[in-house]
């Protein structure tokens, strides 16, 4: 199970693209509303989350978490003890932590990017404490996947599928969705 955290001000494409693509790959995904079931993104799109944060039980078959960016979504995620505990739980158990745009800053502030390759939205690099800043748009280092922003949300989602499932499933899905000929 993968949990995608949604806090008011989240970047819609960065949150919902991974949800859609993971579900197409057969991954069990739940959105988790921080502060309530109804969450409004940074562009005014309101989403009804699958779970509220108080209903989250990570020990029930969790394989990873996704932290979308956006402002003030990233700030609201970082202010949540539920999100911070989930990051610790996943990191301590080698589970996937995927963060995009400004959200990798949360991982930097927690010190879990030390010595890892990471990327974020331009201008947030100083928040990635201890990270080796990558020059690629999406990077995986161990259990951490980071991406630079909304424009690479599809690539970010395929990288998550690659991590959770395997290369074959990710490649097949990518080929069928992108229709490159």
């Amino acid at each position: 199970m993968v949990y995608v955290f949604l806090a008011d001000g989240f970047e819609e494409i960065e949150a919902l693209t991974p949800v859609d693509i993971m579900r197409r790959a057969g991954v069990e995904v739940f959105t988790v509303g921080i502060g309530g079931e109804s969450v409004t993104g940074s562009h005014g799109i309101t989403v009804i989350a699958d779970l509220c944060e108080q209903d989250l039980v990570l020990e029930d078959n969790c394989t990873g978490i996704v932290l979308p960016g956006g402002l003030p979504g990233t700030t609201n995620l970082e202010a949540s003890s539920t999100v911070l505990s989930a990051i610790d739980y996943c990191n301590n158990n080698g589970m996937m932590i995927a963060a995009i745009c400004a959200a990798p800053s949360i991982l930097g502030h927690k010190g879990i990017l030390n010595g890892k390759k990471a990327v974020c939205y331009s201008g947030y690099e100083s928040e990635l404490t201890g990270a080796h800043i990558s020059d690629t748009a999406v990077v995986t280092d161990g259990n951490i996947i980071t991406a630079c922003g909304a424009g690479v949300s599809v690539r970010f989602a395929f990288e998550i599928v690659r991590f959770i499932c395997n290369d074959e499933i990710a490649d097949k899905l990518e080929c069928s969705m992108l229709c490159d000929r």
Side-chain angles (χ1 to χ4, degrees), residues 2 17-27 29 66 96 98 140 145 154-174 177:
V2 176
T17 299
V19 170
D20 180 280
I21 290 176
M22 282 188 284
R23 287 185 177 167
R24 289 173 191 250
V27 176
V29 181
V66 178
M96 181 198 72
T140 299
I145 301 170
V154 172
R155 288 176 52 195
F156 177 63
F158 287 131
E159 191 66 16
I160 292 168
V161 169
R162 193 171 309 288
F163 186 95
I164 296 294
C165 299
N166 59 47
D167 288 342
E168 183 181 346
I169 290 171
D171 291 345
K172 184 176 178 181
L173 185 59
E174 186 173 10
M177 287 183 69

Side-chain angles (χ1 to χ4, degrees), residues 2-86:
V2 176
Y3 296 98
V4 178
F5 290 103
L6 306 177
D8 281 334
F10 71 94
E11 173 59 56
E12 293 92 341
I13 194 170
E14 295 170 359
L16 299 178
T17 299
V19 170
D20 180 280
I21 290 176
M22 282 188 284
R23 287 185 177 167
R24 289 173 191 250
V27 176
E28 192 171 12
V29 181
F30 290 93
T31 55
V32 181
I34 301 303
E37 178 184 54
S38 178
V39 188
T40 302
S42 60
H43 297 97
I45 300 170
T46 300
V47 174
I48 304 300
D50 299 315
L51 301 170
C52 293
E53 64 184 308
Q54 62 268 22
D55 299 324
L56 178 66
V57 181
L58 286 176
E59 293 80 13
D60 292 345
N61 301 313
C62 178
T63 53
I65 60 172
V66 178
L67 307 172
L71 291 174
T74 297
T75 305
N76 291 334
L77 288 178
E78 191 164 17
S80 166
S81 61
T82 299
V83 172
L84 298 178
S85 293

Side-chain angles (χ1 to χ4, degrees), residues 66-147:
V66 178
L67 307 172
L71 291 174
T74 297
T75 305
N76 291 334
L77 288 178
E78 191 164 17
S80 166
S81 61
T82 299
V83 172
L84 298 178
S85 293
I87 292 169
D88 290 339
Y89 178 82
C90 289
N91 194 52
N92 292 338
N93 291 286
M95 297 171 178
M96 181 198 72
I97 302 170
I100 185 169
C101 195
S105 66
I106 301 169
L107 307 180
H109 298 159
K110 290 189 67 56
I112 64 173
L113 295 178
N114 288 328
K116 292 193 176 283
K117 292 179 283 184
V119 66
C120 61
Y121 188 74
S122 182
Y124 279 79
E125 292 85 0
S126 65
E127 305 298 319
L128 305 187
T129 307
H132 301 293
I133 306 302
S134 177
D135 60 357
T136 60
V138 180
V139 63
T140 299
D141 192 338
N143 65 316
I144 309 291
I145 301 170
T146 55

